[in-house]
Amino acid sequence: MTVVVSPPRAQTERMPEAPSPGIRRRRRNPGASPWWALVFIGPTALGIAVFYLWPTVRTLIISFTKSGPFGGAEWVGIENYVRLFQDSELIGALRNTALYTVIALIGIPLAVGIAALLNTAGLKGRSAYRTLYFIPVVTMPAAIALVWRMIYNGDYGVLNAALGSVGIEGRSWLTDPNTALVAIAVVGIWAGLGTNIVIFLAGLQGIPDTIMEAADLDGAGPVRKFFSITIPLLSPSIFFVSVISVIGALQVFDLIYMMLGRSNPAMPNTRTVVYLFYEAGFLDNDRGYAAAVAFLLLVIILVLTVVQFRLQKKWVHYE
């Protein structure tokens, strides 16, 4: 009997060796490319560059020029900034802006309290209350200014009528230099209250119920739970609201423009930095000086925001 032995296979047909257990081969994904990241972030980056970065750079350039009466611009260096810091109206505008900002921050604890009440378990009509508080946010600023001008009117205003019913003599709130800025700040607080309440409600609903139950077992009362648990856990939302509130208050213009007039005797006590920019750029047609005012405001907002972010490490608690 003849036995036929088959020839050995070629080396190219060898069985693949098992990879070492300590070595993991990395396969390149043909779809993984850095260009895909640019495709996704490109539209956003382009929008930021066109609508934020370029206007900022352009404003800085214009602040070193002086506009001519018939167009064109002349390079004058830091002349606009020297004039700006020597302007007595700037000191008053900075003071008024700072005072308005401080008053506007009162709306934060007010919104926290209202949000805590709306977050009470078993509260009926919660959605209706949220809607009522949020209506001013979606109302046109012109309508808000018109309504509050009638409320503050010294002759037939609702506020003076209410004060007169209890024996308190009213006043002309928007023409009195001592009350005009405070009256406008109250309107600003009322108009922005809805946004803050919605943000705080979202933060309150994110607090775990187990923490509150543990506090109940330890015998903590509502006040103790509010200041020892609710406020610390709500501090990230409070920090966010404080940042956007300060930025918004420093840029206040529309309420002052629509509730007061240029001939109002209270204007020197209510003129803000943005209103100073409006007068220089749109009324006096001094674009270089207006750009210097705008860039100064940008620096102030940037510095205050950086300070807030530095201080938040001491009082904001993240889970």
Side-chain angles (χ1 to χ4, degrees):
M1 185 175 183
T2 305
V3 179
V4 179
V5 180
S6 59
R9 296 182 178 180
Q11 293 182 357
T12 58
E13 298 182 0
R14 290 180 179 178
M15 296 295 292
E17 298 181 358
S20 175
I23 301 176
R24 180 179 296 177
R25 294 183 178 179
R26 299 181 60 184
R27 295 183 179 180
R28 179 166 180 160
N29 186 0
S33 173
W35 293 106
W36 281 106
L38 295 178
V39 170
F40 285 109
I41 69 175
T44 302
L46 180 63
I48 293 175
V50 172
F51 296 105
Y52 290 93
L53 296 181
W54 170 242
T56 302
V57 175
R58 182 62 178 168
T59 300
L60 180 61
I61 296 175
I62 294 176
S63 67
F64 295 105
T65 63
K66 183 177 181 180
S67 302
F70 301 102
E74 176 187 359
W75 185 268
V76 294
I78 62 172
E79 179 180 330
N80 289 322
Y81 290 96
V82 174
R83 173 188 165 194
L84 177 63
F85 288 107
Q86 294 178 349
D87 191 353
S88 59
E89 292 185 352
L90 174 65
I91 303 300
L94 290 173
R95 182 183 64 249
N96 297 335
T97 305
L99 179 58
Y100 181 92
T101 303
V102 172
I103 299 174
L105 291 178
I106 299 176
I108 296 179
L110 182 61
V112 171
I114 296 175
L117 293 176
L118 293 178
N119 197 49
T120 304
L123 179 66
K124 296 181 180 180
R126 183 180 304 176
S127 300
Y129 287 122
R130 292 178 182 177
T131 303
L132 290 175
Y133 280 112
F134 200 77
I135 285 177
V137 179
V138 297
T139 304
M140 295 181 61
I144 292 176
L146 180 61
V147 170
W148 279 93
R149 283 184 65 178
M150 292 188 293
I151 293 175
Y152 283 136
N153 189 277
D155 298 325
Y156 53 84
V158 178
L159 180 58
N160 283 349
L163 293 176
S165 63
V166 294
I168 301 177
E169 184 179 358
R171 61 176 65 190
S172 184
W173 301 93
L174 294 179
T175 57
D176 189 344
N178 298 321
T179 60
L181 186 62
V182 178
I184 295 176
V186 170
V187 179
I189 294 174
W190 174 81
L193 199 60
T195 302
N196 298 342
I197 290 175
V198 170
I199 295 174
F200 289 142
L201 274 174
L204 289 171
Q205 293 174 359
I207 298 177
D209 295 334
T210 54
I211 298 179
M212 293 300 180
E213 294 174 357
D216 291 333
L217 293 176
D218 292 338
V223 177
R224 181 63 182 273
K225 288 191 297 183
F226 180 77
F227 287 101
S228 300
I229 298 177
T230 302
I231 294 299
L233 294 180
L234 196 62
S235 57
S237 299
I238 297 175
F239 168 69
F240 172 73
V241 171
S242 65
V243 171
I244 62 175
S245 296
V246 169
I247 295 176
L250 291 174
Q251 301 179 66
V252 62
F253 168 75
D254 50 357
L255 291 177
I256 295 176
Y257 176 77
M258 289 181 289
M259 296 183 67
L260 303 178
R262 294 194 64 190
S263 60
N264 194 308
M267 180 54 69
N269 293 75
T270 56
R271 181 188 289 111
T272 59
V273 176
V274 179
Y275 197 91
L276 187 65
F277 159 80
Y278 163 74
E279 288 183 332
F282 293 91
L283 299 181
D284 300 335
N285 198 28
D286 194 348
R287 294 186 299 171
Y289 185 75
V293 174
F295 202 79
L296 174 64
L297 180 61
L298 173 64
V299 173
I300 294 174
I301 292 176
L302 180 62
V303 171
L304 290 180
T305 304
V306 171
V307 171
Q308 286 180 289
F309 271 88
R310 291 292 181 89
L311 294 179
Q312 60 103 10
K313 299 178 181 179
K314 298 183 179 180
W315 64 276
V316 178
H317 305 277
Y318 296 97
E319 295 184 10

